mmCIF file of all heavy atoms in Angstrom:
data_model
loop_
_atom_site.group_PDB
_atom_site.id
_atom_site.type_symbol
_atom_site.label_atom_id
_atom_site.label_comp_id
_atom_site.label_asym_id
_atom_site.label_seq_id
_atom_site.Cartn_x
_atom_site.Cartn_y
_atom_site.Cartn_z
ATOM 1 N N LYS A 358 -37.623 30.761 2.794
ATOM 2 C CA LYS A 358 -37.906 31.933 3.646
ATOM 3 C C LYS A 358 -39.393 32.313 3.621
ATOM 4 O O LYS A 358 -39.911 32.756 4.683
ATOM 5 C CB LYS A 358 -37.124 33.136 3.054
ATOM 6 C CG LYS A 358 -35.678 33.141 3.454
ATOM 7 C CD LYS A 358 -35.041 34.450 3.023
ATOM 8 C CE LYS A 358 -35.535 35.616 3.784
ATOM 9 N NZ LYS A 358 -34.868 36.896 3.419
ATOM 10 N N HIS A 359 -40.075 32.099 2.501
ATOM 11 C CA HIS A 359 -41.455 32.643 2.348
ATOM 12 C C HIS A 359 -42.473 31.570 2.457
ATOM 13 O O HIS A 359 -43.665 31.848 2.334
ATOM 14 C CB HIS A 359 -41.500 33.408 1.047
ATOM 15 C CG HIS A 359 -40.714 34.675 1.031
ATOM 16 N ND1 HIS A 359 -41.023 35.842 1.701
ATOM 17 C CD2 HIS A 359 -39.408 34.894 0.493
ATOM 18 C CE1 HIS A 359 -40.144 36.752 1.478
ATOM 19 N NE2 HIS A 359 -39.158 36.212 0.826
ATOM 20 N N ALA A 360 -42.130 30.306 2.733
ATOM 21 C CA ALA A 360 -43.131 29.243 2.869
ATOM 22 C C ALA A 360 -43.864 29.346 4.182
ATOM 23 O O ALA A 360 -43.295 29.887 5.199
ATOM 24 C CB ALA A 360 -42.413 27.865 2.727
ATOM 25 N N ALA A 361 -45.074 28.873 4.244
ATOM 26 C CA ALA A 361 -45.825 28.761 5.477
ATOM 27 C C ALA A 361 -45.336 27.618 6.234
ATOM 28 O O ALA A 361 -45.191 27.686 7.560
ATOM 29 C CB ALA A 361 -47.343 28.593 5.217
ATOM 30 N N VAL A 362 -44.989 26.486 5.622
ATOM 31 C CA VAL A 362 -44.463 25.294 6.219
ATOM 32 C C VAL A 362 -43.547 24.616 5.234
ATOM 33 O O VAL A 362 -43.724 24.745 4.019
ATOM 34 C CB VAL A 362 -45.572 24.273 6.647
ATOM 35 C CG1 VAL A 362 -45.055 23.052 7.357
ATOM 36 C CG2 VAL A 362 -46.704 24.942 7.456
ATOM 37 N N ILE A 363 -42.539 23.904 5.808
ATOM 38 C CA ILE A 363 -41.660 23.117 4.924
ATOM 39 C C ILE A 363 -41.807 21.644 5.339
ATOM 40 O O ILE A 363 -41.837 21.346 6.530
ATOM 41 C CB ILE A 363 -40.210 23.547 5.053
ATOM 42 C CG1 ILE A 363 -39.994 24.964 4.459
ATOM 43 C CG2 ILE A 363 -39.245 22.566 4.352
ATOM 44 C CD1 ILE A 363 -38.641 25.524 4.686
ATOM 45 N N ALA A 364 -41.997 20.760 4.373
ATOM 46 C CA ALA A 364 -42.062 19.349 4.615
ATOM 47 C C ALA A 364 -40.916 18.679 3.871
ATOM 48 O O ALA A 364 -40.838 18.829 2.633
ATOM 49 C CB ALA A 364 -43.400 18.748 4.132
ATOM 50 N N SER A 365 -40.000 18.014 4.619
ATOM 51 C CA SER A 365 -38.788 17.593 3.888
ATOM 52 C C SER A 365 -38.192 16.324 4.616
ATOM 53 O O SER A 365 -38.330 16.196 5.834
ATOM 54 C CB SER A 365 -37.805 18.674 3.905
ATOM 55 O OG SER A 365 -36.530 18.287 3.276
ATOM 56 N N ASP A 366 -37.484 15.509 3.897
ATOM 57 C CA ASP A 366 -36.713 14.427 4.405
ATOM 58 C C ASP A 366 -35.172 14.784 4.424
ATOM 59 O O ASP A 366 -34.364 13.920 4.698
ATOM 60 C CB ASP A 366 -36.976 13.075 3.693
ATOM 61 C CG ASP A 366 -36.575 13.151 2.175
ATOM 62 O OD1 ASP A 366 -36.049 14.165 1.711
ATOM 63 O OD2 ASP A 366 -36.762 12.177 1.496
ATOM 64 N N SER A 367 -34.879 16.046 4.091
ATOM 65 C CA SER A 367 -33.459 16.425 4.058
ATOM 66 C C SER A 367 -33.086 17.050 5.357
ATOM 67 O O SER A 367 -33.662 17.945 5.916
ATOM 68 C CB SER A 367 -33.293 17.546 2.970
ATOM 69 O OG SER A 367 -32.124 18.305 3.124
ATOM 70 N N GLY A 368 -31.921 16.609 5.909
ATOM 71 C CA GLY A 368 -31.377 17.174 7.092
ATOM 72 C C GLY A 368 -31.013 18.664 6.978
ATOM 73 O O GLY A 368 -31.351 19.476 7.806
ATOM 74 N N GLY A 369 -30.437 19.004 5.755
ATOM 75 C CA GLY A 369 -30.021 20.404 5.514
ATOM 76 C C GLY A 369 -31.284 21.267 5.475
ATOM 77 O O GLY A 369 -31.279 22.392 5.996
#
Side-chain angles (χ1 to χ4, degrees):
K358 283 186 64 176
H359 294 282
V362 184
I363 294 174
S365 179
D366 61 2
S367 162

